[in-house]
Amino acid sequence: MSLKIDHIYVPVKFDLGGTLQDVEPAVPLLAGLGATTVDVVEHEETRAYNISYLATHPPVLQLSLGTSAVRVGHTTWATSTRIVIYPALGVISVDLRFAAPEPTAGTEEICRFYDDLVRENTLDYFRHLRDLEVFPANLAGHLRAIEAEPREPGGLTVSAHVQAVRAILQDSPGFEPRERCYPFQNMRQFFVLRGPEGGEDEPVVESLLRLSALPVTPGSPADDGPLRLRGLVVRTTGWSTVAVVHDGIEGGPATARMVQDMYGQIHAQWFFCQLWVGVDPNDHDELVGPGHSLGARITQLARVQLQLSRGLAEVGNVDLMYRDPLRIAVATFLIDGLRVPRHLQAARQRLELLRSNLSQLFGLQTALFQQRLQWLFSITAVAGVAALLPEMLQVDSMRWRVVTVALFGMLAVFCWLLIRLLGRAGVHAGRANRAAGQATGRRPRVAFGWVRRRRGR
């Protein structure tokens, strides 16, 4: 094999739990975890970005946690860990960079890297779910099987960093928490190889794209086609990406770093759609009942809708961020490769469901208001007529007195039946509202789908 491994970039995305509108107060708070930097665009790079975007969006925060030895399978990798916070999206990424091991890993070891990494990450990830008390019971057997496998301690740590950052940002004045915190993660692989021009056609590239061991069965390519830049060729299936840096061509490594940074941003957009697809606006069995306020529920859904709308404006909108044709081409390639448009469509459907539910709740609130007016009118009418009762009883006629009492009795029964009827109409309106939400795509609740934010986390 003429291609050699340079490094493997593995971003693992989590929900930050909210957006960070002002990053400056958070910098000294996060400094205790590692060297914290604000991703400021250099002067020579301003030609690639829209100034309006830079002026109206909080910059990306990065924390460098240093390098440690991580055992993945039978190979020890020098692994640098970096935490990247995307404030506008409310997404946190733990970026792992596995440097080329010494001695150089062989083809089989590189192709087996994914399976070994998944095993190590699963153990770390399942502990994270148990800490949040949302571990799915149906995966308990899978966890026991992994823990029973003979293995050397790997030293891979991801979830603990996320929990530490979340806990710190609770005290930041610029942090705007969401109603729910999505407990799940998403991990991708970005392999960077070095070799001569034309080496991207070697079987190992196809194997890494398919995340499978050699030999690769001959057939159609795993991806839709490469992105060719000066000194660099990039191919992706969405779940796996392979970049081949051509030896002897100037600018290849710098271009690879640029593509990786943009990959992290596009992956964050994909994950933003993922965490919002999990929002269930009908997660309360009773919209109105003891301890519930319809007005508070409307305010909550309106806030969720605003947060989702604001974030979706970022997703897939290449021209919003960049004005450089090269970066636009790279971003478009990555957006298509990671299948962001499909996820964006699902998130927009969730937004439409939120709007529909808000409209139905507003209708229910209006109906309840009208019902209270009718109650008030009925009580006022009864009181007005009752004020005449003493005068009518003074009439010197027993027959008239009996008729008067009967009429007042019938009127009281009528008002009582009217109030009961209006009350049942309100209940039926609430049930119809929930049934309409189910008909428009309500997702069944699961114990581990979304977790409520708890203080101290």
Side-chain angles (χ1 to χ4, degrees):
M1 182 183 76
S2 60
L3 295 177
K4 303 296 182 183
I5 184 72
D6 185 87
H7 68 275
I8 304 174
Y9 164 60
V10 179
V12 189
K13 295 295 191 292
F14 290 82
D15 180 10
L16 186 60
T19 57
L20 195 60
Q21 302 303 317
D22 186 4
V23 300
E24 292 302 328
V27 172
L29 297 176
L30 295 170
L33 297 180
T36 305
T37 58
V38 179
D39 188 16
V40 179
V41 176
E42 301 294 338
H43 174 67
E44 58 271 15
E45 294 180 316
T46 54
R47 67 179 299 274
Y49 291 86
N50 282 322
I51 301 301
S52 59
Y53 178 86
L54 298 177
T56 57
H57 290 72
V60 173
L61 282 177
Q62 298 186 18
L63 288 79
S64 177
L65 304 185
T67 302
S68 60
V70 175
R71 185 82 173 173
V72 179
H74 302 287
T75 305
T76 300
W77 303 74
T79 307
S80 60
T81 303
R82 182 181 65 169
I83 297 176
V84 183
I85 299 174
Y86 301 91
L89 296 173
V91 173
I92 178 174
S93 180
V94 180
D95 291 357
L96 306 173
R97 189 181 189 276
F98 297 87
E102 296 293 343
T104 303
T107 302
E108 292 297 331
E109 292 174 299
I110 297 175
C111 294
R112 199 171 51 239
F113 173 85
Y114 173 73
D115 292 329
D116 294 335
L117 178 65
V118 167
R119 186 178 299 105
E120 294 295 330
N121 181 64
T122 298
L123 287 172
D124 177 79
Y125 178 40
F126 280 2
R127 296 188 189 104
H128 173 65
L129 294 180
R130 285 192 296 196
D131 289 341
L132 295 178
E133 299 179 0
V134 293
F135 183 79
N138 60 309
L139 292 180
H142 181 49
L143 175 59
R144 287 193 297 269
I146 295 178
E147 291 178 331
E149 293 177 355
R151 52 181 291 276
E152 298 180 27
L156 182 69
T157 301
V158 175
S159 303
H161 302 316
V162 176
Q163 295 183 38
V165 171
R166 284 176 179 167
I168 290 174
L169 289 182
Q170 298 299 316
D171 300 324
S172 176
F175 186 70
E176 180 182 321
R178 294 195 182 102
E179 298 295 331
R180 301 286 187 273
C181 184
Y182 187 61
F184 299 112
Q185 68 167 18
N186 186 263
M187 181 179 70
R188 301 295 173 100
Q189 296 73 39
F190 194 120
F191 300 89
V192 179
L193 309 178
R194 292 180 288 104
E197 191 170 0
E200 62 272 9
D201 296 328
E202 291 192 12
V204 66
V205 174
E206 196 72 24
S207 178
L208 294 177
L209 287 172
R210 298 178 186 271
L211 297 175
S212 61
L214 290 173
V216 175
T217 302
S220 60
D223 60 336
D224 298 330
L227 171 69
R228 298 186 180 276
L229 305 171
R230 178 175 173 78
L232 181 72
V233 174
V234 184
R235 296 176 60 185
T236 183
T237 61
W239 288 101
S240 178
T241 302
V242 180
V244 178
V245 180
H246 296 151
D247 292 333
I249 299 181
E250 185 179 358
T255 304
R257 287 193 296 271
M258 181 266 290
V259 172
Q260 280 188 351
D261 289 340
M262 295 180 66
Y263 183 93
Q265 180 76 38
I266 302 304
H267 185 207
Q269 294 182 5
W270 183 96
F271 189 77
F272 175 83
C273 295
Q274 169 66 28
L275 67 91
W276 278 110
V277 167
V279 173
D280 185 358
N282 290 308
D283 60 352
H284 294 304
D285 294 331
E286 293 293 335
L287 295 179
V288 182
H292 293 85
S293 168
L294 181 59
R297 179 66 173 151
I298 291 176
T299 302
Q300 178 193 53
L301 286 186
R303 183 166 56 248
V304 170
Q305 179 180 314
L306 177 61
Q307 292 174 341
L308 178 53
S309 300
R310 186 168 55 194
L312 287 182
E314 305 276 332
V315 179
N317 195 346
V318 177
D319 294 334
L320 176 67
M321 184 182 301
Y322 302 112
R323 60 181 175 181
D324 176 49
L326 174 62
R327 287 185 179 257
I328 290 176
V330 173
T332 302
F333 170 80
L334 294 175
I335 287 172
D336 293 339
L338 269 65
R339 310 298 191 264
V340 173
R342 298 180 185 177
H343 241 43
L344 177 59
Q345 181 181 6
R348 284 175 174 167
Q349 290 174 350
R350 182 61 59 188
L351 178 59
E352 290 302 318
L353 180 57
L354 283 170
R355 289 172 177 167
S356 174
N357 288 346
L358 265 178
S359 177
Q360 293 166 10
L361 287 176
F362 274 124
L364 177 58
Q365 187 181 50
T366 302
L368 292 176
F369 179 73
Q370 292 174 346
Q371 176 183 330
R372 295 188 184 102
L373 287 179
Q374 291 169 335
W375 289 351
L376 180 61
F377 173 77
S378 300
I379 295 173
T380 303
V382 171
V385 176
L388 301 176
L389 181 60
E391 298 294 333
M392 293 182 176
L393 292 177
Q394 292 179 3
V395 178
D396 190 14
S397 172
M398 182 58 67
R399 179 181 299 177
W400 178 249
R401 291 179 181 179
V402 172
V403 171
T404 300
V405 172
L407 287 174
F408 273 96
M410 292 174 61
L411 180 60
V413 172
F414 172 76
C415 292
W416 178 77
L417 290 175
L418 177 62
I419 292 174
R420 288 289 304 273
L421 180 62
L422 293 174
R424 290 181 179 179
V427 173
H428 289 318
R431 291 177 179 173
N433 176 67
R434 292 191 295 273
Q438 293 174 348
T440 53
R442 174 179 178 177
R443 293 163 52 115
R445 294 189 66 191
V446 291
F448 54 94
W450 278 76
V451 292
R452 296 183 180 276
R453 295 182 56 81
R454 293 177 295 191
R455 295 184 180 181
R457 287 195 180 272

